[in-house]
Structures are given as structure tokens and as C-alpha cells.
Amino acid sequence: MTGKPRVWVSRPTFPEIIARLDEHFAVTSEPQEVRFSPAELAARLADQDAAIVGLKEHIGAAEIAGATRLRIVANLGVGYDNLDVAALTAAGVAVSNTADVLNESVADYAWAMLLGAARRIGAAERWLRAGHWHATEFTGWLGMDVRGRTLGILGMGRIGQAIARRAVGFGMDVIYHNRSPLPASLEHACQARYVDKPQLLAASDFLVLVLPLTAQSRHAIGAPELAQMKPTAVLVNVARGGIVDDAALAAALASGGLAAAALDVFEREPQVHPALLALDNVLLSPHIASASHATRRAMTALAVDNVLALFGHGPHAGRPPTILNPTVLVAAGAVPHP
Ligand code: 8YV
């Protein structure tokens, strides 16, 4: 095939940013959000040289089997549990994510959810809109204070650290658990202390989940873990559905085992467990933690930069800035061994 290499963009994004590809590529952008079947994905990818995809595109060996020209899959997200990186690497396909550009927006949003759940903002707004506000009850709508409480963070990557830094303003004691402790300088910057997972569960007044979804982290918070938490605690998940067992969480929230939760992500998105929908002590949102004007644009620009760079264009030519499997570059002779 002659002509420009082809890029498929699986969802509507920001046309003026995608247009940066036009000089070097023939670009096809999907005009609306579609949930593609594996066969449809395989058909879309078959004649592409690059793809910019979102979290609903699950891509592994089967989806790229016929995509012999494909050189990069650029994910519009820092999490990449939708991509089988091992299979893509084995096929010589580069994979990139949108690390770092969304840290601060997601940290802001985690705090919005934490405060919203603590002060029952979602339920109070529903009640007001339903026309129930006839008198201001002095003892009504009581919520929890955050000042001086213990903030627990499970997963202390750069988003977890950004969440911890904000806790200083709330005078909180910050503890965290991670695969390994942070270097002392980072712990100091975050004013955070490493604890083991049982200690984290037992001591947190507010527990925020910011870890990636992997085979090991699936149901990291299930019935046994929820039983170790304080009945007064609040759970916040801005990471991935599947880290929490949604049915077990709903049971804990309904029985008084846990005071409240705030969830931006769910096991079967876009479906939400009906038992969660029936509860007033859980604040729910449709996976929007990174959805600020600036950050969604920055994520799109970073995906574009990765594609341009892989094909030798732009300021990062030859070195896609957030590539997850750089060995494919070495294998393809694109960059010398480090
Ligand atoms: C999504 C996210 O990418 O970055 C991630 O891992 O979960 C989000 O930023 C975003 O919701 C687009 O689907």
C-alpha cells in the first residue's frame, strides 16, 4: 500500500489536536462513542499503522492478528488494563499511555469525591431537587469532618502522591500502602507513612484507591478487607472498577459495615451494580476523574505525540514519550540500546 500511513482514532476527541497528525498520516476518527465487538475491533485495526484508543477498546492477540501494519497503540488513559501489553509486544507493536498529564486533575477529583461523600452532598442535592426542603433542620444532614482524621492511600504512584500532598491543608495523618515504600525524600514531601495493608485498612478514616487493575489487584477490596475497616470509614475509588468487589461493598454499605463510599469506576462499566444505585450513602460518578478541559486535551496531545514520535516526527522523534514497552523500539532498530 502506498501513501501516508494510517491512524485510527476510536472515539471522538479534540479535532484540532488530532489534526496535528494530518501532515504525516491519513486519519480516520470515529464520530461517536461505540462499544466495538472484538471482531469489529479486529476489522478496524486490520489496515492501520497506528491506533489511538480508549479504555473500552480491549486489544490483545486476537484483535491484532490481521493487523500486520500496526506499529503503535496509544491509549487515552494512564491505566492500560484494556491492552494485553505482552501480546502487543510479542507482535512488535508499541504501546503508550497518558502518564502524568492527568495526575493533578485526578487528585482534585478524588478530593471532591472524598468531601462529597463525607458531607453527603449527592444525597442532599437529590433530596433538595425532589422538593423535600421545607425547613432547615439543625440536626439534619450531619456528615463527617475530615480535619485531623487519617487518610489512607492504597497505591502510592504519582496520583496517590498528589492526593497526599493535598491532605496537608486538611491537617490529616497520611498513611499508605504500596508494593514498595517510597524513597524517604518522597515520603517527606508527601508527609506520608508506609504501613502494611491490614494496618491501612484498620486505621483509615478515609481510604482512597489509586492502584492499577491487575490480576493481583482484582478484588483487593472485597468482603474480608471491608470487614477490617472502621464502620465509620469512607472508601473512595478513582482507580478502576474490579479493584473493589461492588456486591460486597454494597452489602457493607447497607449493613453499616462501612459509613459511605464514593465511586468513579465500576466493575461492569457503564453498568452500575443495582445494589449500589439503591443506596444513599454512596456518591457515584461516570468515570470522569480526569475529565477537565485541560487534562482531556493534554491526554489527547500526548497520544498524538506518541504516534508522531514512533514514526520519527515531532519533538520526540524516535522516542515516544510515554511508551510502555520500549523493547519494541530496540527490536525495530529505532533507537540504540540504552
Ligand atoms: C480515562 C482513566 O482514560 O487514565 C485513566 O486510566 O481511567 C481515565 O483518565 C478516561 O476516563 C477516558 O476514558
Side-chain angles (χ1 to χ4, degrees):
M1 206 184 295
T2 54
K4 292 175 175 177
R6 298 174 174 202
V7 184
W8 177 59
V9 185
S10 72
R11 63 196 319 186
T13 56
F14 300 94
E16 71 282 9
I17 299 173
I18 296 295
R20 285 175 41 213
L21 292 166
D22 289 345
E23 185 186 343
H24 304 288
F25 299 91
V27 181
T28 309
S29 285
E30 294 292 334
Q32 56 197 24
E33 296 284 355
V34 175
R35 187 162 285 267
F36 298 104
S37 69
E40 288 168 337
L41 265 180
R44 293 289 192 295
L45 294 169
D47 59 355
Q48 299 297 324
D49 299 86
I52 296 177
V53 303
L55 304 182
K56 63 183 166 39
E57 279 78 56
H58 288 256
I59 300 177
E63 287 73 20
I64 59 162
T68 50
R69 305 165 52 96
L70 191 63
R71 289 183 56 195
I72 180 167
V73 173
N75 210 32
L76 288 164
V78 62
Y80 49 90
D81 45 284
N82 55 315
L83 304 177
D84 183 340
V85 177
L88 290 161
T89 305
V93 178
V95 181
S96 65
N97 69 352
T98 57
D100 282 338
V101 292
L102 43 66
N103 296 348
E104 303 300 327
S105 298
V106 174
D108 285 349
Y109 195 79
W111 273 97
M113 290 214 96
L114 187 159
L115 293 166
R119 298 303 297 273
R120 308 171 64 190
I121 292 175
E125 202 218 23
R126 279 192 296 282
W127 182 84
L128 179 152
R129 284 181 186 271
H132 296 308
W133 192 18
H134 303 301
T136 302
E137 292 173 35
F138 187 63
T139 55
W141 290 109
L142 304 182
M144 281 166 270
D145 287 319
V146 301
R147 186 154 195 93
R149 296 293 185 85
T150 297
L151 173 67
I153 300 176
L154 184 57
M156 199 59 156
R158 280 164 290 196
I159 297 173
Q161 293 165 37
I163 292 170
R165 286 196 309 274
R166 285 159 172 74
V168 174
F170 289 96
M172 296 180 92
D173 185 25
V174 183
I175 56 178
Y176 73 96
H177 183 70
N178 201 36
R179 271 171 307 183
S180 46
L182 296 179
S185 59
L186 276 183
E187 276 199 347
H188 183 73
C190 297
Q191 294 288 299
R193 187 162 45 85
Y194 181 86
V195 294
D196 64 21
K197 190 175 168 190
Q199 283 176 298
L200 184 83
L201 294 170
S204 296
D205 295 308
F206 298 91
L207 178 59
V208 184
L209 310 179
V210 220
L211 63 170
L213 177 63
T214 61
Q216 292 72 39
S217 69
R218 187 169 292 281
H219 286 191
I221 302 293
E225 290 76 19
L226 291 163
Q228 294 171 61
M229 293 179 67
K230 297 179 184 179
T232 51
V234 177
L235 180 72
V236 180
N237 188 4
V238 290
R240 273 292 177 278
I243 294 170
V244 175
D245 178 341
D246 285 350
L249 174 61
L253 289 166
S255 68
L258 195 71
L263 307 173
D264 187 48
V265 288
F266 305 89
E267 275 192 282
R268 275 176 269 286
E269 291 174 18
Q271 285 157 30
V272 178
H273 197 294
L276 290 171
L277 289 171
L279 290 167
D280 241 5
N281 56 345
V282 55
L283 180 61
L284 307 169
S285 65
H287 201 148
I288 57 172
S290 68
S292 76
H293 290 286
T295 292
R296 285 285 166 88
R297 283 181 170 77
M299 292 165 69
T300 308
L302 184 50
V304 165
D305 283 345
N306 276 291
V307 171
L308 285 170
L310 188 94
F311 285 82
H313 308 299
H316 308 280
R319 293 182 179 275
T322 49
I323 189 166
L324 295 164
N325 55 351
T327 54
V328 301
L329 301 186
V330 177
V335 293
H337 272 282

